Amino acid sequence: MKKILLSILTLATTLAYSQKLSFDAKGIIAISDADMAASAFVDGKLFKERGNKDYMSIVKLPIEKYSDEIRSLVVSNSAINSAKSIVISPNRPIAYVVEVRGTTPETTTEIRNLNTELPAGGFISVVDISDLSQPKVLYKFPTGKNPTAIDISPNGEYLALCSEEYGKELQVLELDPTGKPIRIINKPQDFQSGKITDITWHPNNNFLVFTMEESKEVGLMKVTRDGPTTKIIRLDVVGRTLKVGNLPSAGQFTPDGKYYLVPDLKSNIASKSESGSDTSGDMFVLKFNLEGTSEHYLITKTKLGETPTSFAISPDGSLVAVTNAKKSYFPWENNDSSKKASISLLKLTSDGSLNNVAEYEFEGILPKNIVFDKSGENIAVTVFDYFNFGKHFGGIEFWKVKNGDKPSLQKQDFKLFMPRGCHGIQIVK
């Protein structure tokens, strides 16, 4: 039965529209959470589809035939997290996938509070992607309870991850030449108490930015290395933390490391009421003082769309694309439900100013993640589900990017169907 289901899902993921996809990458990796419908974020009703599993789907590019370019593996993952649940090593053909929450039993049909009542997660799956047509799960290793985010250093030597478990709120893992963890560097001894919800490496490999969602703080850490070996020996907090909005989410550095962007989601989608008032978010642009000679500070704050979920920065650092779920994930019978989600396009200038350019609506439920291709001329967006009865599928949709004085997006006539619950995406460069 399992083999039959995998075959059906593999075939389903290959269905696409258009003659040719414009997207500059060797491949696309997407993860799908089979444990619930998107509307469970509002009413807790899972609507699980019997026999479905969490999947990691690997799309080999360019796509020329129907079924030879896409493979699916069973890899535990969860859409309950922010945006950083999968990373690809920059110097090894390896992908790391975080099990943010565990798998719900087949008999479970409803969960009142997704934030607290889902089964605990606790490991990372390591997947060999040296051959995109034949990926394989190599092994798993434990994390703290309910890991919330993961990031890999630009040189591929260290993994940083955070979790909800006391004493394991932040860990930096040294990797051996094969990408396997061999040593743990823990958080600073005098680090303030509280749950760390996001972690990001600076492009120069020597700093980490952490987010503490509950206290609404974002701060900077510096790594101290051993002289002869250049290995990290400890972490130290640099300067004071910054207060950022009401619910700071997963952030990113600009490619040159000059600015740090972090969205304020205002409220967790798993905590929103069905008739919430202000559902628009904000994007903060921060400037960190890496030298430690002065304080960090806020450059600007810009309004985002309705219920923002994640964002991506173009390779040249000039554009920011933000996914907005709107009310697409509300129960279908709800009068407030919307069949439209959107992408907001913003322009980032050299002085740190961030300006809204345009918002582009499209049909789809809960777009949770977005990524630019290598050229910066195209973007891909995950779709959790579509407004179809019968068999349900998630998807990946694509837009062309026009840069310049008046940047814009143009939707491509191409769509990849994925297992329902598609929520995380990375490109293989």
Side-chain angles (χ1 to χ4, degrees):
M1 177 65 185
K2 182 178 177 181
K3 290 183 178 179
I4 295 174
L5 179 61
L6 275 169
S7 298
I8 292 172
L9 285 169
T10 300
L11 177 60
T13 60
T14 64
L15 298 176
Y17 303 119
S18 178
Q19 296 297 313
K20 187 176 181 180
L21 168 66
S22 175
F23 199 80
D24 184 13
K26 292 181 180 178
I28 297 171
I29 295 180
I31 51 177
S32 301
D33 180 1
D35 287 317
M36 62 184 187
S39 54
F41 281 106
V42 175
D43 60 15
K45 297 177 182 178
L46 302 182
F47 292 111
K48 293 188 67 171
E49 296 184 332
R50 185 173 296 276
N52 277 6
K53 305 290 184 182
D54 292 350
Y55 283 100
M56 175 179 180
S57 299
I58 296 90
V59 183
K60 184 179 179 181
L61 299 177
I63 294 178
E64 296 175 348
K65 293 179 286 183
Y66 269 92
S67 60
D68 291 346
E69 289 77 23
I70 300 179
R71 294 291 183 268
S72 291
L73 302 173
V74 177
V75 176
S76 183
N77 64 85
S78 176
I80 197 69
N81 75 318
S82 54
K84 294 177 183 172
S85 53
I86 176 173
V87 293
I88 297 175
S89 172
N91 55 3
R92 304 179 185 94
I94 290 176
Y96 299 89
V97 181
V98 178
E99 187 203 41
V100 177
R101 293 291 191 278
T103 301
T104 55
E106 289 279 355
T107 54
T108 302
T109 60
E110 185 173 349
I111 293 179
R112 293 182 180 179
N113 190 325
L114 295 180
N115 289 320
T116 60
E117 297 179 20
L118 281 170
F123 63 82
I124 290 175
S125 297
V126 183
V127 183
D128 179 1
I129 56 171
S130 56
D131 183 351
L132 295 179
S133 62
Q134 295 183 335
K136 55 185 177 182
V137 178
L138 297 175
Y139 54 88
K140 302 174 183 177
F141 63 87
T143 65
K145 179 182 177 182
N146 294 339
T148 53
I150 184 175
D151 200 14
I152 192 164
S153 61
N155 62 7
E157 293 181 356
Y158 295 90
L159 272 179
L161 63 99
C162 42
S163 74
E164 295 182 356
E165 183 173 336
Y166 178 76
K168 297 182 179 180
E169 296 92 340
L170 172 65
Q171 299 177 84
V172 174
L173 310 180
E174 181 184 338
L175 306 176
D176 70 11
T178 69
K180 189 173 183 177
I182 56 173
R183 186 170 66 95
I184 298 175
I185 302 98
N186 290 308
K187 67 178 184 178
Q189 290 186 349
D190 58 349
F191 193 83
Q192 64 192 89
S193 62
K195 182 172 68 175
I196 299 175
T197 50
D198 186 54
I199 194 74
T200 308
W201 282 98
H202 188 277
N204 71 7
N205 290 293
N206 294 321
F207 294 89
L208 288 157
V209 170
F210 62 91
T211 298
M212 304 182 74
E213 183 181 281
E214 293 175 347
S215 59
K216 308 172 181 56
E217 293 176 273
V218 177
L220 183 72
M221 283 187 217
K222 180 180 181 180
V223 306
T224 297
R225 300 178 184 272
D226 173 68
T229 66
T230 72
K231 300 296 184 181
I232 296 175
I233 56 176
R234 73 171 188 270
L235 306 173
D236 296 295
V237 175
V238 180
R240 290 184 294 183
T241 59
L242 292 171
K243 290 285 186 177
V244 177
N246 188 62
L247 191 76
S249 183
Q252 297 179 44
F253 275 104
T254 53
D256 61 5
K258 187 176 180 180
Y259 302 115
Y260 189 75
L261 276 64
V262 56
D264 175 15
L265 306 185
K266 299 295 180 69
S267 64
N268 192 305
I269 64 171
S271 305
K272 288 181 182 291
S273 67
E274 296 189 16
S275 58
S277 52
D278 183 14
T279 56
S280 59
D282 293 315
M283 182 71 81
F284 288 78
V285 180
L286 310 180
K287 176 73 172 177
F288 284 106
N289 173 34
L290 304 184
E291 305 302 324
T293 55
S294 61
E295 294 300 327
H296 318 306
Y297 57 94
L298 167 69
I299 297 288
T300 189
K301 181 178 77 170
T302 303
K303 203 75 172 175
L304 297 177
E306 182 181 359
T307 316
T309 52
S310 67
F311 72 100
I313 304 173
S314 63
D316 67 359
S318 66
L319 295 176
V320 179
V322 183
T323 50
N324 306 302
K326 294 182 175 288
K327 294 183 174 66
S328 62
Y329 63 98
F330 277 30
W332 293 11
E333 68 275 10
N334 190 302
N335 292 332
D336 290 332
S337 177
S338 166
K339 290 187 177 182
K340 298 285 188 180
S342 71
I343 300 172
S344 293
L345 186 64
L346 302 93
K347 190 169 182 62
L348 180 63
T349 60
S350 59
D351 64 357
S353 299
L354 190 62
N355 303 302
N356 276 286
V357 176
E359 184 174 349
Y360 301 84
E361 287 192 332
F362 65 98
E363 289 195 5
I365 297 172
L366 190 58
K368 284 216 74 179
N369 221 321
I370 185 168
V371 65
F372 280 86
D373 70 354
K374 289 196 305 179
S375 69
E377 296 176 356
N378 303 280
I379 59 173
V381 180
T382 64
V383 178
F384 199 95
D385 195 0
Y386 291 95
F387 292 94
N388 300 317
F389 289 90
K391 184 65 179 176
H392 287 270
F393 297 101
I396 300 175
E397 305 215 1
F398 301 87
W399 276 258
K400 289 184 178 181
V401 180
K402 179 184 177 183
N403 211 327
D405 294 335
K406 296 181 179 180
S408 62
L409 301 181
Q410 180 182 357
K411 196 171 187 301
Q412 296 190 43
D413 186 22
F414 193 100
K415 179 185 302 183
L416 287 172
F417 284 115
M418 293 285 156
R420 188 187 77 168
C422 186
H423 68 94
I425 189 170
Q426 288 285 340
I427 66 169
V428 182
K429 297 180 179 179

